[in-house]
Amino acid sequence: MRSNTKLIGLCLISSIGLNGCGSDSDNSESNNQSEPSNLYPHIKVQNDDSAMNATSHCFNENAKFRTDHFIIGKKGNVSDDKLQEIARVAQNTFNVDLANYSWNTWADLNVDYTHPLEVCVIASEGSNGAGNALGFVIGPNRSGENLDNLIKHELKHTYQARLIGPTGLNDSHTWFAEAVATALSTNETVSDSQLNAFITQTGMTPTQITHDGLQQAVNLKLTDASSEYGAYNMVLRYLNTQGARTQDFWQVFKVINQIEQSCKTAHQTAINNGEMVNPIDPQSTSCSGKSDTYQSGATKWRGHIISGSIDDHIAPNTEPGISKFQAAFDYVMQPYSVTYDSIDDNAAFRNTVINGM
C-alpha cells in the first residue's frame, strides 16, 4: 500500500494512498501483537533517539532503534523486541534489493547512514502497512514470513516515491505501482477467469485503476478483494512475455521524474522571463498541457504535450496532452512495441493481457 500523511480506520489512506493494506478487524493497541521472530539475526540493531520527521506519522516521537539505513519509532504499546524485529527485516530487505537492482544507496535513493529511511510502528494499525517517501508505516501484528512479505512490498513503494521525486506517487498509476510492488515481493497472480471477474464486477480493466479513488471503488465492488494485486501483476507478466525486464519497470518511475524536471525547467524559464506564474512548489507539477500557462506554450517532452492532470477514464480531464505516467510508460516500453493504449480499455486488455500470453 502507498502512503502519504493521513490515517483513516485500519487502513492508512491519504492523498497518495496506502496500497498493500493488510486486513485486521481488531483495532486494539496490543491484544493481537504477534510474538517477534528471530528473522535475520545477523542484522545489527542499535539504540537511537533521533527525532522522527516532522511530516511522518511518528512526528512527535523519537526513534528507539536504528540500523545502517533505518530509524524505527513507535506510537502506542509496541514492545522493543517487535521494533527490533521490524528493523532487522527492513534492513535485510533493503540490502537484498540494493544487490538485486544494482543501486547505490545515495545516488539512486538519497539514503545513507546520516539520511536514513524511517519506520513508524503504530500499535492501532494491526496487520496493516504502507510505504511512502520517508520509509513505511506498519502495525505490529505480523511476524515471520507474513511480516517479511509485507515489508518487501511496502519498501517497493518507498523506492517508487523516491525515484519519482517530490511530486510523489500520485504521478504513477495506482495499478502500476501496486503491480511492481507485488511482482517484486509475493508475486501473486490470478487466472483468466479472475481477470474477467475483475472487469465484470468493477466495470474497469486493471490498467484503468489509475488513482486511489478508483482503487477504493475496486475494493468495494470485487467479490474476492484478495485478487486485486494479482490482477495488476498479470499486466507485468504480460510485459515480461514481450521482453520487458525489472529494470524497465523501475525506469518508468525514473522517467516520470525526468519529465517533471523538464516541466520545472520550463516553469523557471517563465519566471526568469517575467511571466506571471506562481513560484515552483516542489510537490506540485509544473507540467501543463494548456497553451496559455507559459508564453512558450504547453509543456512538451520528446515531442509530446505533457498534461498536469491524472488519467481518469471515468471523469476524463479536458486538459490537452498525455500524463507523465503515460509518456514515461510508452517511452520505456517502446522497444517492446507496447503502449499504454494497447493494454488499457476492455478490448485492448483482453487482446493483450488475457489473450496475448
Side-chain angles (χ1 to χ4, degrees):
M1 172 184 268
R2 305 178 302 161
S3 160
N4 213 16
T5 54
K6 295 183 180 178
L7 295 177
I8 301 178
L10 283 179
C11 280
L12 303 172
I13 301 175
S14 71
S15 61
I16 286 185
L18 294 177
N19 305 311
C21 188
S23 60
D24 185 358
S25 59
D26 190 339
N27 199 29
S28 64
E29 288 196 348
S30 59
N31 289 347
N32 289 339
Q33 186 173 144
S34 64
E35 289 297 320
S37 60
N38 193 34
L39 284 175
Y40 313 119
H42 64 285
I43 299 293
K44 185 178 181 180
V45 180
Q46 300 173 312
N47 292 325
D48 191 79
D49 62 355
S50 303
M52 303 292 278
N53 191 289
T55 62
S56 79
H57 295 290
C58 282
F59 66 92
N60 58 348
E61 304 289 340
N62 285 354
K64 290 211 66 177
F65 299 103
R66 75 158 298 142
T67 63
D68 286 346
H69 298 104
F70 292 86
I71 58 173
I72 297 90
K74 68 172 184 175
K75 274 188 174 292
N77 183 17
V78 182
S79 72
D80 285 355
D81 286 345
K82 174 57 64 175
L83 293 176
Q84 292 181 73
E85 177 194 29
I86 291 171
R88 291 195 306 272
V89 175
Q91 185 64 56
N92 185 76
T93 299
F94 190 73
N95 293 346
V96 171
D97 288 345
L98 288 175
N100 284 343
Y101 311 137
S102 301
W103 284 345
N104 175 277
T105 58
W106 184 253
D108 290 295
L109 299 171
N110 291 112
V111 175
D112 61 15
Y113 190 86
T114 58
H115 300 84
L117 295 169
E118 294 193 3
V119 181
C120 179
V121 185
I122 304 179
S124 60
E125 287 307 313
S127 297
N128 302 318
N132 56 44
L134 294 176
F136 63 90
V137 184
I138 195 169
N141 293 7
R142 296 194 189 210
S143 190
E145 183 179 3
N146 287 334
L147 176 65
D148 201 29
N149 285 337
L150 180 63
I151 290 176
K152 285 177 181 176
H153 182 108
E154 302 311 342
L155 268 178
K156 303 306 181 290
H157 290 312
T158 303
Y159 308 152
Q160 293 165 9
R162 293 225 159 198
L163 293 176
I164 287 175
T167 55
L169 273 172
N170 271 341
D171 282 348
S172 173
H173 283 187
T174 297
W175 73 265
F176 186 75
E178 290 302 346
V180 172
T182 300
L184 300 178
S185 56
T186 53
N187 200 24
E188 63 255 38
T189 59
V190 296
S191 64
D192 285 356
S193 63
Q194 288 174 302
L195 282 175
N196 281 309
F198 185 107
I199 296 169
T200 300
Q201 291 171 16
T202 67
M204 298 176 281
T205 67
T207 51
Q208 289 178 325
I209 312 307
T210 55
H211 59 80
D212 294 331
L214 293 176
Q215 187 185 29
Q216 291 171 30
V218 168
N219 290 329
L220 293 173
K221 293 180 179 181
L222 271 185
T223 301
D224 178 13
S226 67
S227 68
E228 180 193 354
Y229 288 1
Y232 301 146
N233 189 23
M234 291 305 294
V235 185
L236 295 201
R237 289 291 185 98
Y238 168 74
L239 295 174
N240 286 148
T241 68
Q242 306 307 298
R245 303 160 299 168
T246 298
Q247 296 96 311
D248 296 308
F249 303 144
W250 289 122
Q251 188 65 18
V252 172
F253 300 103
K254 294 179 181 180
V255 174
I256 290 172
N257 191 336
Q258 293 171 17
I259 296 171
E260 180 59 47
Q261 296 313 309
S262 174
C263 292
K264 279 186 165 42
T265 297
H267 190 134
Q268 187 61 56
T269 298
I271 292 175
N272 294 343
N273 290 340
E275 296 178 36
M276 297 298 292
V277 294
N278 294 325
I280 294 176
D281 178 352
Q283 294 184 315
S284 298
T285 186
S286 293
C287 301
S288 175
K290 299 175 182 178
S291 61
D292 59 351
T293 302
Y294 308 120
Q295 288 181 10
S296 57
T299 51
K300 291 184 178 181
W301 186 78
R302 292 185 173 269
H304 296 286
I305 294 176
I306 304 299
S307 167
S309 300
I310 299 173
D311 294 314
D312 189 328
H313 73 287
I314 292 179
N317 194 286
T318 58
E319 183 178 344
I322 59 176
S323 68
K324 286 181 285 184
F325 173 81
Q326 182 172 348
F329 182 89
D330 287 355
Y331 174 72
V332 174
M333 298 301 160
Q334 183 178 3
Y336 314 115
S337 300
V338 178
T339 65
Y340 175 60
D341 286 341
S342 73
I343 59 171
D344 180 24
D345 63 25
N346 196 327
F349 189 87
R350 291 183 184 281
N351 287 336
T352 53
V353 179
I354 295 181
N355 299 326
M357 287 194 288

